Amino acid sequence: MKNLLITGASGLIGRALVKHCVSRYNVTGTYMTRDYKPDAIQLKQLDLSKPDEIESCIDAIQPSVVIHTAGLTDLQYCQGKQKKTEEINYRGTAQLAAFCAQRGIKLVYLSTDMVFDGEKGEYKEDDTAEPKSVYGKSKILAEKAIQEICENYVIARINLIYGHGESKKKTFTDRILIANWSGKPYPVYKGQTRSPISLDVASRAVRELAEGGFKGVFHLGGDEAVDRWDLALKLLTLLKVDHAVIEEAEIPEDYKDIYPVNTSFDTTKVKNELKTEMLSIEEGLKLEYGRYIE
């Protein structure tokens, strides 16, 4: 089997990717702080701010493909840590891209809907990216670096992920269900339209992009656009949980300008080119949480 390197393998989508790739590749994963003990893969600590560590990791593993999921992702945290965010998300990614390009390794980079300003929604892959946040800016800088450096690359922009994850970092929907057990309502921002995608579907689509002869930018999102609040209601209705477990919340004043209103995707390209099906909200929620339905 070929060697596969998954950066950020201890994270939310990293763990899901390990599950879907381990039967097809010799998988090695990396982590920065969230260590875990997988049975089927090797795990290495990697600091993306240290180019020597990145190069040594690649040379030790000699992967045919790198799936790069690692980085800082919390919108509000990144806004207050611009230098660190750029160092990890942008410069670390550019250095990884350079090492991959020099060795003829395919790079699959996981980006985000936050590269758009949210003024129109239904974004296509070739629409102009105008991020509002430090996080979004770091991701688009990384995208541009990859496009300049690499010949063999895929950029997979992933919309809001929902579903049952195994990482310490939880999905939007998992956090709601945890709140149900805690007895404290979970705050949900209204007026945030996304194209939510199942964790399982997103990871299978990324695996397909890594395996096939794909190149360029791809938008991974569900088959329908929905407000975060409505997604939460659909989850609670499906699982017959009291709607009182969520409450409407205001975005903190200091961060109101960095949350795009509508970053929904036009997924025509992936529907035409991938075998992995982009599901409706109902289909995706049943896939992720069907075992809990009475």
Side-chain angles (χ1 to χ4, degrees):
M1 289 192 291
K2 294 181 178 179
N3 296 334
L4 170 66
L5 172 62
I6 300 175
T7 70
S10 62
L12 181 64
I13 195 164
R15 290 199 190 195
L17 280 165
V18 168
K19 181 178 70 174
H20 284 294
C21 293
V22 72
S23 65
R24 298 170 182 247
Y25 294 91
N26 293 316
V27 178
T28 301
T30 75
Y31 71 96
M32 178 58 182
T33 57
R34 289 198 298 264
D35 190 9
Y36 79 118
K37 307 297 182 185
D39 295 327
I41 72 166
Q42 292 184 320
L43 202 64
K44 295 178 176 291
Q45 189 169 23
L46 177 63
D47 186 343
L48 286 170
S49 68
K50 298 179 179 179
D52 289 348
E53 281 194 20
I54 300 172
E55 186 171 26
S56 295
C57 181
I58 290 175
D59 286 340
I61 296 162
Q62 298 185 354
S64 58
V65 182
V66 174
I67 302 179
H68 183 34
T69 82
L72 301 176
T73 60
D74 185 279
L75 205 65
Q76 294 182 16
Y77 175 85
C78 289
Q79 199 64 20
K81 300 286 185 179
Q82 181 173 351
K83 184 177 180 180
K84 183 177 181 180
T85 300
E86 290 182 353
E87 182 179 45
I88 299 296
N89 290 0
Y90 166 43
R91 293 187 182 86
T93 299
Q95 288 157 351
L96 175 63
F99 296 136
C100 286
Q102 289 167 353
R103 292 157 177 78
I105 299 167
K106 181 174 183 178
L107 176 61
V108 180
Y109 177 57
L110 271 55
S111 191
T112 173
D113 56 315
M114 292 292 112
V115 299
F116 295 111
D117 61 13
E119 296 300 317
K120 75 179 192 71
E122 293 297 313
Y123 287 99
K124 297 181 180 181
E125 285 82 355
D126 58 358
D127 280 333
T128 301
E130 295 180 341
K132 303 180 74 171
S133 63
V134 167
Y135 169 65
K137 291 173 184 175
S138 73
K139 298 296 279 188
I140 198 62
L141 285 171
E143 287 188 19
K144 291 178 179 178
I146 290 168
Q147 290 169 319
E148 291 175 2
I149 294 168
C150 294
E151 177 63 29
N152 192 6
Y153 73 89
V154 167
I155 294 169
R157 293 177 180 151
I158 303 180
N159 216 286
L160 175 66
I161 290 178
Y162 64 86
H164 182 62
E166 298 177 357
S167 169
K168 291 181 180 179
K169 181 178 180 180
K170 301 302 180 184
T171 65
F172 173 67
T173 47
D174 269 356
R175 291 196 299 270
I176 291 171
L177 296 179
I178 291 170
N180 180 50
W181 287 105
S182 73
K184 295 181 179 180
Y186 183 77
V188 177
Y189 301 150
K190 274 190 174 181
Q192 298 282 301
T193 301
R194 304 289 183 258
S195 293
I197 184 169
S198 149
L199 176 60
D200 182 82
V201 171
S203 55
R204 284 190 285 114
V206 171
R207 183 191 67 191
E208 185 178 351
L209 289 168
E211 291 177 339
F214 300 99
K215 179 181 176 179
V217 180
F218 294 83
H219 280 180
L220 302 182
D223 198 33
E224 58 186 295
V226 66
D227 190 277
R228 278 177 177 265
W229 181 264
D230 293 328
L231 172 61
L233 291 179
K234 287 176 182 287
L235 169 72
L236 298 176
T237 299
L238 176 70
L239 298 183
K240 298 179 181 179
V241 175
D242 190 341
H243 290 188
V245 73
I246 58 173
E247 62 180 7
E248 185 176 352
E250 291 285 333
I251 297 172
E253 192 65 35
D254 290 347
Y255 300 109
K256 282 188 175 180
D257 291 340
I258 68 171
Y259 280 86
V261 172
N262 185 348
T263 59
S264 58
F265 282 165
D266 180 327
T267 56
T268 301
K269 182 178 180 179
V270 294
K271 288 178 184 176
N272 289 338
E273 297 190 26
L274 298 189
K275 294 179 181 178
T276 304
E277 184 180 0
M278 300 297 111
L279 302 180
S280 68
I281 299 296
E282 183 177 0
E283 291 169 331
L285 287 174
K286 286 181 178 179
L287 173 66
E288 294 287 345
Y289 297 107
R291 60 191 175 280
Y292 301 123
I293 300 174
E294 295 180 358

